[in-house]
Amino acid sequence: MDLQEKHTESKNVSMPKTTRILCTYHLFLVCREVSYQELMDQLGTPKKTASRDISLLVQAGVLKVKYDRKNHAFLPVDLSLSPIKPQEGKNQLKYLEKLRRCCILMKGMRDLFHFPLGEDEWYNDWYSMSKIDFYRMLLPNVPDRTRQRDYAELEKAGYEICYIPPIPGCREEAEEDLKYYPEWKNDLYFMAEVYGGWKYTVPGYF
């Protein structure tokens, strides 16, 4: 199932603009090159719309690309942050700031996975840091309501951080095991099962 199918209930309903742009950014996070055909196949994005979406990401200062005419594809030259391009309207600047925040979070989550993402549909891992602390680490001094809205946008693009409670009844046995295997304290998956933990979900290549 491609992203277009995931985000639409019928062929007459299109993916929301922000979700589409964030999914476009995701492809640049996990692919060596991104073609217009791929954007059409994965997101249902026409060529002109795809060009505008990529331009917005460039203006937001989260992406630098080079177009390879031979292979008809964009190459992600640089994913490091650069200043937002000057804008005439306040609304456009505000929107670019929103895209920038979301992309910073996406790349931050993506970088937690210390292996190349491939054909698997989803990747899950456990971390001790809560979603609030993770956000504040990357984006300090942002209001809580903005944080909540940003995470809502990320979830639409398949990026999610959620708390998973501990498995009932396993704590006593697990603490006994830790006496013999103290190194298990470094196993976040084991510790999450015993004490609860934060699951970070990142899409692979759709």
Side-chain angles (χ1 to χ4, degrees):
M1 180 183 294
D2 61 30
L3 269 180
Q4 187 180 15
E5 294 177 31
K6 290 178 183 178
H7 289 277
T8 59
E9 295 180 357
S10 71
K11 294 183 179 178
N12 297 323
V13 180
S14 60
M15 185 184 298
K17 175 183 176 181
T18 300
T19 304
R20 186 189 67 237
I21 295 174
L22 294 181
C23 289
T24 299
Y25 179 72
H26 168 76
L27 290 176
F28 281 105
L29 285 179
V30 300
C31 300
R32 293 183 178 179
E33 60 181 35
V34 179
S35 67
Y36 282 121
Q37 186 61 50
E38 187 169 21
L39 290 168
M40 172 59 78
D41 293 343
Q42 296 295 328
L43 308 177
T45 311
K47 185 174 181 179
K48 288 185 178 180
T49 303
S51 294
R52 288 196 297 268
D53 290 350
I54 293 171
S55 176
L56 286 172
L57 290 169
V58 172
Q59 292 178 60
V62 297
L63 176 67
K64 294 178 183 177
V65 295
K66 175 183 178 181
Y67 188 69
D68 185 341
R69 294 184 180 278
K70 181 178 179 181
N71 295 316
H72 305 288
F74 290 94
L75 307 178
V77 177
D78 192 356
L79 293 169
S80 60
L81 293 176
S82 59
I84 295 178
K85 304 293 183 185
Q87 303 294 316
E88 294 183 0
K90 291 184 178 179
N91 289 339
Q92 182 70 352
L93 177 60
K94 188 175 180 180
Y95 186 69
L96 291 179
E97 290 172 343
K98 172 184 175 178
L99 289 179
R100 183 183 179 90
R101 290 194 309 271
C102 290
C103 290
I104 288 173
L105 292 168
M106 291 169 68
K107 187 175 185 300
M109 291 177 66
R110 164 64 181 84
D111 289 346
L112 291 174
F113 293 82
H114 303 294
F115 54 87
L117 299 187
E119 297 297 328
D120 288 25
E121 188 173 355
W122 304 106
Y123 288 85
N124 298 312
D125 209 343
W126 298 85
Y127 291 91
S128 57
M129 186 179 294
S130 73
K131 63 189 303 182
I132 294 177
D133 290 339
F134 180 75
Y135 188 99
R136 290 174 177 170
M137 178 183 71
L138 296 176
L139 297 164
N141 304 319
V142 177
D144 289 344
R145 294 184 68 179
T146 300
R147 167 178 52 78
Q148 293 167 1
R149 289 193 292 266
D150 289 346
Y151 272 131
E153 291 291 353
L154 258 63
E155 289 179 11
K156 296 175 187 177
Y159 285 71
E160 185 176 8
I161 303 174
C162 61
Y163 178 75
I164 305 296
I167 298 175
C170 76
R171 181 167 180 171
E172 183 176 343
E173 180 180 350
E175 290 183 344
E176 186 68 23
D177 290 338
L178 287 173
K179 295 179 182 179
Y180 300 96
Y181 307 100
E183 67 274 12
W184 286 6
K185 290 183 179 180
N186 298 320
D187 185 334
L188 290 177
Y189 182 80
F190 174 81
M191 296 299 287
E193 287 188 330
V194 179
Y195 300 104
W198 292 90
K199 184 174 75 171
Y200 286 60
T201 300
V202 175
Y205 175 74
F206 302 108

